[in-house]
Amino acid sequence: MDVKGVLGTISFDGEWVTITKTPIGQRPAPVRLRAADITGTRFKPGSRLFHGYVQFLLPGSLAAGERGGLALGGRPPYEDPNSLSIPRKSNDAAEKLVAAVEQARG
């Protein structure tokens, strides 16, 4: 199960969530999270004007908050390794991925 985001992708194989961000000029550095280790998820659907996001919460770490401003549209910063911005066209796939992760984590 894959979700194409803004400058990256999120994939879920039933046990592991892999977030691969593709920064300009650098090689992709994937972050792998085991579904059983995830304590929560945050999903904000994208709209016509702003991108949304998918964020995974882990024990012992603070979730990166939403940044304000017109350019960021209330998303976590790009530097947050546990989140990815998504365009509006990826809302359905992202919602299904979040539901699958929630079900897998028990």
mmCIF file of all heavy atoms in Angstrom, residues 58-81:
data_model
loop_
_atom_site.group_PDB
_atom_site.id
_atom_site.type_symbol
_atom_site.label_atom_id
_atom_site.label_comp_id
_atom_site.label_asym_id
_atom_site.label_seq_id
_atom_site.Cartn_x
_atom_site.Cartn_y
_atom_site.Cartn_z
ATOM 1 N N LEU A 58 5.147 8.284 18.012
ATOM 2 C CA LEU A 58 5.917 7.208 18.633
ATOM 3 C C LEU A 58 6.050 7.464 20.125
ATOM 4 O O LEU A 58 6.019 8.617 20.564
ATOM 5 C CB LEU A 58 7.307 7.118 18.004
ATOM 6 C CG LEU A 58 7.325 6.802 16.517
ATOM 7 C CD1 LEU A 58 8.722 6.944 15.959
ATOM 8 C CD2 LEU A 58 6.791 5.411 16.276
ATOM 9 N N PRO A 59 6.216 6.402 20.922
ATOM 10 C CA PRO A 59 6.360 6.599 22.369
ATOM 11 C C PRO A 59 7.666 7.331 22.688
ATOM 12 O O PRO A 59 8.689 7.104 22.047
ATOM 13 C CB PRO A 59 6.376 5.173 22.934
ATOM 14 C CG PRO A 59 6.776 4.313 21.800
ATOM 15 C CD PRO A 59 6.309 4.993 20.557
ATOM 16 N N GLY A 60 7.591 8.228 23.657
ATOM 17 C CA GLY A 60 8.774 8.948 24.108
ATOM 18 C C GLY A 60 9.210 10.092 23.225
ATOM 19 O O GLY A 60 10.249 10.692 23.460
ATOM 20 N N SER A 61 8.452 10.402 22.198
ATOM 21 C CA SER A 61 8.813 11.536 21.346
ATOM 22 C C SER A 61 7.608 12.453 21.198
ATOM 23 O O SER A 61 6.469 11.997 21.167
ATOM 24 C CB SER A 61 9.285 11.060 19.969
ATOM 25 O OG SER A 61 8.235 10.427 19.280
ATOM 26 N N LEU A 62 7.875 13.722 21.121
ATOM 27 C CA LEU A 62 6.820 14.710 20.941
ATOM 28 C C LEU A 62 6.490 14.840 19.467
ATOM 29 O O LEU A 62 7.383 14.844 18.623
ATOM 30 C CB LEU A 62 7.262 16.067 21.493
ATOM 31 C CG LEU A 62 7.510 16.122 22.997
ATOM 32 C CD1 LEU A 62 8.085 17.482 23.372
ATOM 33 C CD2 LEU A 62 6.226 15.868 23.753
ATOM 34 N N ALA A 63 5.225 14.952 19.171
ATOM 35 C CA ALA A 63 4.808 15.147 17.785
ATOM 36 C C ALA A 63 5.152 16.563 17.358
ATOM 37 O O ALA A 63 4.959 17.518 18.113
ATOM 38 C CB ALA A 63 3.312 14.914 17.651
ATOM 39 N N ALA A 64 5.682 16.685 16.159
ATOM 40 C CA ALA A 64 5.959 18.013 15.623
ATOM 41 C C ALA A 64 4.626 18.699 15.368
ATOM 42 O O ALA A 64 3.738 18.131 14.734
ATOM 43 C CB ALA A 64 6.766 17.908 14.339
ATOM 44 N N GLY A 65 4.481 19.883 15.875
ATOM 45 C CA GLY A 65 3.227 20.611 15.723
ATOM 46 C C GLY A 65 3.060 21.191 14.338
ATOM 47 O O GLY A 65 3.997 21.237 13.543
ATOM 48 N N GLU A 66 1.860 21.614 14.059
ATOM 49 C CA GLU A 66 1.569 22.241 12.780
ATOM 50 C C GLU A 66 2.158 23.640 12.767
ATOM 51 O O GLU A 66 2.042 24.381 13.736
ATOM 52 C CB GLU A 66 0.067 22.315 12.552
ATOM 53 C CG GLU A 66 -0.587 20.965 12.433
ATOM 54 C CD GLU A 66 -2.090 21.071 12.223
ATOM 55 O OE1 GLU A 66 -2.618 22.202 12.194
ATOM 56 O OE2 GLU A 66 -2.730 20.032 12.099
ATOM 57 N N ARG A 67 2.777 23.978 11.655
ATOM 58 C CA ARG A 67 3.326 25.322 11.511
ATOM 59 C C ARG A 67 2.289 26.190 10.820
ATOM 60 O O ARG A 67 1.602 25.755 9.909
ATOM 61 C CB ARG A 67 4.607 25.280 10.684
ATOM 62 C CG ARG A 67 5.701 24.491 11.416
ATOM 63 C CD ARG A 67 6.896 24.314 10.571
ATOM 64 N NE ARG A 67 7.790 25.460 10.746
ATOM 65 C CZ ARG A 67 8.909 25.613 10.079
ATOM 66 N NH1 ARG A 67 9.277 24.723 9.191
ATOM 67 N NH2 ARG A 67 9.677 26.660 10.286
ATOM 68 N N GLY A 68 2.176 27.393 11.278
ATOM 69 C CA GLY A 68 1.203 28.306 10.699
ATOM 70 C C GLY A 68 1.765 29.041 9.499
ATOM 71 O O GLY A 68 2.911 28.883 9.118
ATOM 72 N N GLY A 69 0.949 29.837 8.915
ATOM 73 C CA GLY A 69 1.384 30.645 7.782
ATOM 74 C C GLY A 69 0.724 30.187 6.498
ATOM 75 O O GLY A 69 0.304 29.044 6.353
ATOM 76 N N LEU A 70 0.649 31.094 5.564
ATOM 77 C CA LEU A 70 -0.027 30.825 4.308
ATOM 78 C C LEU A 70 0.705 29.783 3.472
ATOM 79 O O LEU A 70 0.087 28.915 2.866
ATOM 80 C CB LEU A 70 -0.163 32.127 3.517
ATOM 81 C CG LEU A 70 -1.114 32.097 2.335
ATOM 82 C CD1 LEU A 70 -2.493 31.658 2.782
ATOM 83 C CD2 LEU A 70 -1.174 33.454 1.690
ATOM 84 N N ALA A 71 2.028 29.811 3.459
ATOM 85 C CA ALA A 71 2.782 28.872 2.626
ATOM 86 C C ALA A 71 2.747 27.453 3.188
ATOM 87 O O ALA A 71 2.790 26.489 2.438
ATOM 88 C CB ALA A 71 4.231 29.334 2.506
ATOM 89 N N LEU A 72 2.676 27.292 4.494
ATOM 90 C CA LEU A 72 2.733 25.959 5.090
ATOM 91 C C LEU A 72 1.357 25.346 5.297
ATOM 92 O O LEU A 72 1.226 24.138 5.372
ATOM 93 C CB LEU A 72 3.495 26.008 6.416
ATOM 94 C CG LEU A 72 4.946 26.447 6.274
ATOM 95 C CD1 LEU A 72 5.576 26.639 7.637
ATOM 96 C CD2 LEU A 72 5.723 25.443 5.462
ATOM 97 N N GLY A 73 0.345 26.140 5.442
ATOM 98 C CA GLY A 73 -1.026 25.643 5.518
ATOM 99 C C GLY A 73 -1.312 24.711 6.674
ATOM 100 O O GLY A 73 -2.121 23.818 6.553
ATOM 101 N N GLY A 74 -0.633 24.879 7.806
ATOM 102 C CA GLY A 74 -0.927 24.065 8.984
ATOM 103 C C GLY A 74 -0.415 22.643 8.909
ATOM 104 O O GLY A 74 -1.125 21.709 9.246
ATOM 105 N N ARG A 75 0.817 22.460 8.440
ATOM 106 C CA ARG A 75 1.421 21.124 8.365
ATOM 107 C C ARG A 75 2.643 21.060 9.270
ATOM 108 O O ARG A 75 3.242 22.079 9.585
ATOM 109 C CB ARG A 75 1.882 20.824 6.941
ATOM 110 C CG ARG A 75 0.755 20.714 5.963
ATOM 111 C CD ARG A 75 1.298 20.547 4.586
ATOM 112 N NE ARG A 75 2.139 21.713 4.286
ATOM 113 C CZ ARG A 75 2.664 21.964 3.117
ATOM 114 N NH1 ARG A 75 2.487 21.158 2.126
ATOM 115 N NH2 ARG A 75 3.401 23.025 2.920
ATOM 116 N N PRO A 76 3.070 19.845 9.658
ATOM 117 C CA PRO A 76 4.334 19.717 10.390
ATOM 118 C C PRO A 76 5.495 20.132 9.481
ATOM 119 O O PRO A 76 5.373 20.081 8.252
ATOM 120 C CB PRO A 76 4.424 18.219 10.710
ATOM 121 C CG PRO A 76 3.048 17.698 10.584
ATOM 122 C CD PRO A 76 2.371 18.570 9.566
ATOM 123 N N PRO A 77 6.618 20.515 10.047
ATOM 124 C CA PRO A 77 7.755 20.930 9.214
ATOM 125 C C PRO A 77 8.295 19.766 8.389
ATOM 126 O O PRO A 77 8.173 18.601 8.789
ATOM 127 C CB PRO A 77 8.786 21.419 10.231
ATOM 128 C CG PRO A 77 8.407 20.778 11.509
ATOM 129 C CD PRO A 77 6.918 20.592 11.474
ATOM 130 N N TYR A 78 8.918 20.070 7.275
ATOM 131 C CA TYR A 78 9.471 19.038 6.392
ATOM 132 C C TYR A 78 10.513 18.190 7.120
ATOM 133 O O TYR A 78 10.670 17.012 6.836
ATOM 134 C CB TYR A 78 10.103 19.701 5.159
ATOM 135 C CG TYR A 78 10.726 18.720 4.203
ATOM 136 C CD1 TYR A 78 9.933 17.987 3.319
ATOM 137 C CD2 TYR A 78 12.100 18.495 4.189
ATOM 138 C CE1 TYR A 78 10.488 17.074 2.455
ATOM 139 C CE2 TYR A 78 12.664 17.576 3.324
ATOM 140 C CZ TYR A 78 11.853 16.873 2.456
ATOM 141 O OH TYR A 78 12.413 15.954 1.603
ATOM 142 N N GLU A 79 11.195 18.778 8.077
ATOM 143 C CA GLU A 79 12.264 18.085 8.806
ATOM 144 C C GLU A 79 11.741 16.993 9.733
ATOM 145 O O GLU A 79 12.523 16.177 10.214
ATOM 146 C CB GLU A 79 13.088 19.084 9.621
ATOM 147 C CG GLU A 79 13.840 20.100 8.787
ATOM 148 C CD GLU A 79 12.959 21.241 8.294
ATOM 149 O OE1 GLU A 79 11.916 21.532 8.936
ATOM 150 O OE2 GLU A 79 13.295 21.821 7.255
ATOM 151 N N ASP A 80 10.441 16.961 10.021
ATOM 152 C CA ASP A 80 9.872 15.921 10.874
ATOM 153 C C ASP A 80 9.950 14.591 10.135
ATOM 154 O O ASP A 80 9.299 14.409 9.104
ATOM 155 C CB ASP A 80 8.423 16.255 11.229
ATOM 156 C CG ASP A 80 7.750 15.177 12.060
ATOM 157 O OD1 ASP A 80 8.468 14.426 12.750
ATOM 158 O OD2 ASP A 80 6.517 15.085 12.022
ATOM 159 N N PRO A 81 10.739 13.620 10.640
ATOM 160 C CA PRO A 81 10.909 12.364 9.905
ATOM 161 C C PRO A 81 9.682 11.456 9.933
ATOM 162 O O PRO A 81 9.578 10.540 9.126
ATOM 163 C CB PRO A 81 12.085 11.697 10.620
ATOM 164 C CG PRO A 81 12.027 12.238 12.008
ATOM 165 C CD PRO A 81 11.517 13.651 11.875
#
